[in-house]
Amino acid sequence: MESNRELMKIKNLSVSYKSSNGTVHAVRNLSLTIKEGETFGLVGETGAGKTTAALSILRILPEISTESLAGQIIFNGEDLLKKSRKEMRKIRGKDIAMIFQDPMTSLDPVNTIGSQIEEMIQLHTHLTKKEIRKAAEQMLETVGIRKERFSDYPYQFSGGMKQRVVIAMALSCNPKLIIADEPTTALDVTIQAQILELMRGLKEKYKTAMIMITHDLGVVADICDTVAIIYAGQIVEYGTVEEIFYSHQHPYTEGLFHSIPDIDVAQSKLKVIEGVLPDPTAFPSGCSFHPRCPYVKAKCSQIEPDNRNVGNNHFVKCFRGTSEEGCD
């Protein structure tokens, strides 16, 4: 169950990378709040900045290409961006764990799956070798894998079973927050449903908060409590899952929903959002979405809109619907 207690607050997070074409502004002034027990959906196209935001939380951005990392990530009252490498190693896995996108590459192919779960437990507990073995076997059973398969290797598992192992590793130290980076993308539809059901059940059992990174609105509807729509490194709309699905106001959010096929309507082709994501080394002036926006007016290309509260904690970064110049 979601509580009202704040677990993590990100304030004005900005991340940029070095590239041969200039500075890539991957995340720009991103702010959000995660509550205890909440499932928070971070939704956007490929290249929007979702994974960079997640890697920033764990402080595992690629050092060779990261040019700047600024802002605040307050977790349990402390700023993770001020933590030393040694301090972050204690937090990763124990307090914050991550489920990566591809289970095929998330596991070490030369070690048994049991030993990999044991390693995670050993890093963050003071249990005996016998107790670690028992805890690892229990985690396998928890995610639906018989403990008799403890000594099997990753190649002996299907994609869905590998993802179960990765989930077992993520939950092995009962973290306060799990970051799931498109955990079902590499799986077929039937297995996707099983994995999502498993994650929902385990999240409730262990009372863990979760950030679900995805571009699949079906996944969002199925599992999320709160949703942030991210475009060009910025959150353009933020609200409960009901507000985003039934009262969305940003043209980009509207475009995402229009691109979903409707089985009750005969369509010769899908509706798409015209254009492409802007160049992250040279964003357009004003609103980043204005070159693709069907409602664009003069002001949109000149001034960047502020976040506007449109009810409760539902925010939208758009001039549309206001009395200001350049709006409908």
Side-chain angles (χ1 to χ4, degrees):
M1 290 289 291
E2 178 188 343
S3 79
N4 289 321
R5 186 176 180 276
E6 187 179 286
L7 177 65
M8 184 174 72
K9 190 177 188 70
I10 299 177
K11 300 179 181 178
N12 300 317
L13 179 67
S14 294
V15 183
S16 61
Y17 297 116
K18 294 175 286 189
S19 79
S20 57
N21 296 323
T23 300
V24 174
H25 301 282
V27 174
R28 302 183 293 151
N29 296 315
L30 183 144
S31 297
L32 55 84
T33 301
I34 310 292
K35 297 176 183 177
E36 287 184 343
E38 178 181 36
T39 301
F40 189 100
L42 194 56
V43 183
E45 296 174 75
T46 299
K50 306 185 299 297
T51 298
T52 292
L55 298 181
S56 300
I57 295 170
L58 286 170
R59 296 270 304 280
I60 52 175
L61 292 166
E63 290 187 17
I64 193 169
S65 60
T66 302
E67 185 171 282
S68 68
L69 171 61
Q72 291 180 300
I73 302 176
I74 309 299
F75 180 77
N76 267 357
E78 298 181 307
D79 189 352
L80 297 183
L81 297 188
K82 293 182 179 178
K83 295 285 185 182
S84 67
R85 292 185 182 183
K86 184 178 180 180
E87 289 172 324
M88 283 305 302
R89 281 196 294 270
K90 292 180 180 179
I91 291 170
R92 295 187 202 110
K94 182 178 184 294
D95 295 318
I96 306 174
M98 188 159 182
I99 301 171
F100 290 93
Q101 182 171 351
D102 186 1
M104 321 303 178
T105 57
S106 296
L107 298 171
D108 185 342
V110 299
N111 285 316
T112 65
I113 56 111
S115 67
Q116 294 183 59
I117 299 173
E118 281 185 317
E119 182 181 8
M120 180 66 73
I121 298 171
Q122 184 180 14
L123 280 170
H124 300 292
T125 68
H126 299 289
L127 300 176
T128 65
K129 189 173 182 180
K130 185 177 180 180
E131 289 170 334
I132 290 172
R133 169 73 182 232
K134 184 178 180 180
E137 288 178 343
Q138 286 177 340
M139 281 311 307
L140 281 178
E141 296 276 0
T142 298
V143 298
I145 299 175
R146 292 180 294 110
K147 65 181 180 181
E148 288 78 12
R149 301 206 64 182
F150 186 91
S151 298
D152 287 352
Y153 289 86
Y155 77 87
Q156 295 174 279
F157 289 78
S158 66
M161 294 295 276
K162 286 178 184 175
Q163 194 61 291
R164 287 174 183 264
V165 174
V166 173
I167 293 169
M169 291 174 65
L171 286 168
S172 59
C173 295
N174 195 14
K176 297 179 179 68
L177 174 66
I178 291 177
I179 303 171
D181 188 4
E182 308 214 32
T184 60
T185 296
L187 308 175
D188 65 55
V189 175
T190 304
I191 303 302
Q192 281 185 23
Q194 293 176 8
I195 293 297
L196 287 174
E197 187 61 34
L198 173 67
M199 291 175 69
R200 177 171 36 243
L202 292 175
K203 188 188 88 67
E204 292 173 359
K205 177 180 178 180
Y206 290 97
K207 296 178 172 55
T208 302
M210 183 188 299
I211 298 176
M212 174 65 72
I213 298 172
T214 184
H215 61 269
D216 188 333
L217 290 167
V219 170
V220 172
D222 192 32
I223 202 169
C224 294
D225 303 307
T226 307
V227 186
I229 306 296
I230 186 169
Y231 180 81
Q234 294 181 317
I235 290 177
V236 296
E237 190 160 6
Y238 183 116
T240 65
V241 68
E242 291 83 6
E243 288 167 336
I244 296 299
F245 270 72
Y246 302 113
S247 306
H248 50 265
Q249 297 198 25
H250 197 280
Y252 177 62
T253 312
E254 180 182 288
L256 291 178
F257 279 95
H258 283 171
S259 65
I260 301 173
D262 188 340
I263 60 174
D264 297 321
V265 178
Q267 294 175 288
S268 58
K269 61 180 182 179
L270 293 176
K271 294 180 180 178
V272 297
I273 302 173
E274 298 295 333
V276 296
L277 276 169
D279 181 353
T281 65
F283 285 110
S285 59
C287 173
S288 295
F289 188 64
H290 87 258
R292 306 175 69 183
C293 182
Y295 308 104
V296 65
K297 296 293 177 66
K299 186 174 184 177
C300 302
S301 62
Q302 300 166 5
I303 301 173
E304 182 177 333
D306 294 324
N307 281 322
R308 179 166 52 90
N309 193 330
V310 291
N312 198 12
N313 284 316
H314 182 188
F315 293 91
V316 61
K317 193 177 180 65
C318 183
F319 291 121
R320 187 178 174 219
T322 71
S323 58
E324 299 178 53
E325 181 187 354
C327 306
D328 289 345

